[in-house]
Amino acid sequence: MEDDIEARRAEAVEDLRAASAGIESGEGLTRFAGGHGIQSRVFEFSWSDPALEISFRLPCARILSDEASQKADDEEICAAIRMAMLLLTAAGRVEPPGTRIEVSCNERGAAYAVYAPDGELEDSGTDWAPLVKRFAAEAGDGREPFSIIWP
């Protein structure tokens, strides 16, 4: 079962990488786009497995918004994509085993919570930097390395 989750995580990371490339190339968001109309399009990404829950819903492609607002939307989506890729890549490394991470982001803001294997809340907040710092510390534990570039 863990191998299946890892394969699904790797596939999701590749899909997210392609979505990010579309935004960065100026092509726009073609994957994970939802909503309708010219001002109600959204980037939507959700993931759920025993160790990880992600729920992102951010405005995108609001063509009636000024250029600065559109750029800010794209930057926020790219940051959310990087966070999702980090979480999906590192979720199996979180210590102790059984730890659960929940991360969300929408137009009202971002939040995260880390739960111990017994279900007790270990850490939570609205700034993702401490969560990224936690992964950076765990990445240096001697296992196969990966890069963390934030934001």
Side-chain angles (χ1 to χ4, degrees):
M1 175 155 160
E2 185 63 33
D3 288 343
D4 181 47
I5 290 173
E6 288 301 321
R8 287 188 13 224
R9 285 179 184 159
E11 184 178 325
V13 166
E14 289 308 311
D15 289 344
L16 288 162
R17 189 170 282 124
S20 179
I23 293 171
E24 291 170 1
S25 72
E27 190 177 298
L29 190 65
T30 57
R31 297 173 188 232
F32 307 113
H36 61 302
I38 56 176
Q39 279 299 98
S40 62
R41 302 282 295 159
V42 291
F43 162 74
E44 296 177 299
F45 178 77
S46 61
W47 178 269
S48 185
D49 69 40
L52 179 61
E53 176 126 2
I54 302 171
S55 176
F56 294 159
R57 184 177 170 85
L58 295 167
C60 71
R62 297 185 292 177
I63 61 173
L64 296 180
S65 297
D66 61 48
E67 190 174 321
S69 295
Q70 289 179 33
K71 184 177 182 204
D73 287 350
D74 287 349
E75 288 171 355
E76 189 169 7
I77 291 167
C78 285
I81 287 172
R82 286 190 302 278
M83 175 55 80
M85 290 170 44
L86 171 62
L87 291 167
L88 290 163
T89 302
R93 299 170 179 251
V94 177
E95 294 293 332
T99 299
R100 179 166 175 79
I101 299 171
E102 297 178 2
V103 178
S104 64
C105 186
N106 59 38
E107 63 250 357
R108 291 182 300 258
Y112 76 93
V114 179
Y115 296 92
D118 65 3
E120 186 175 331
L121 180 65
E122 280 186 359
D123 187 24
S124 65
T126 58
D127 178 5
W128 287 346
L131 188 58
V132 172
K133 193 178 223 180
R134 177 184 183 138
F135 283 119
E138 291 176 4
D141 67 0
R143 290 186 269 181
E144 182 180 328
F146 66 96
S147 297
I148 297 175
I149 300 171
W150 185 255

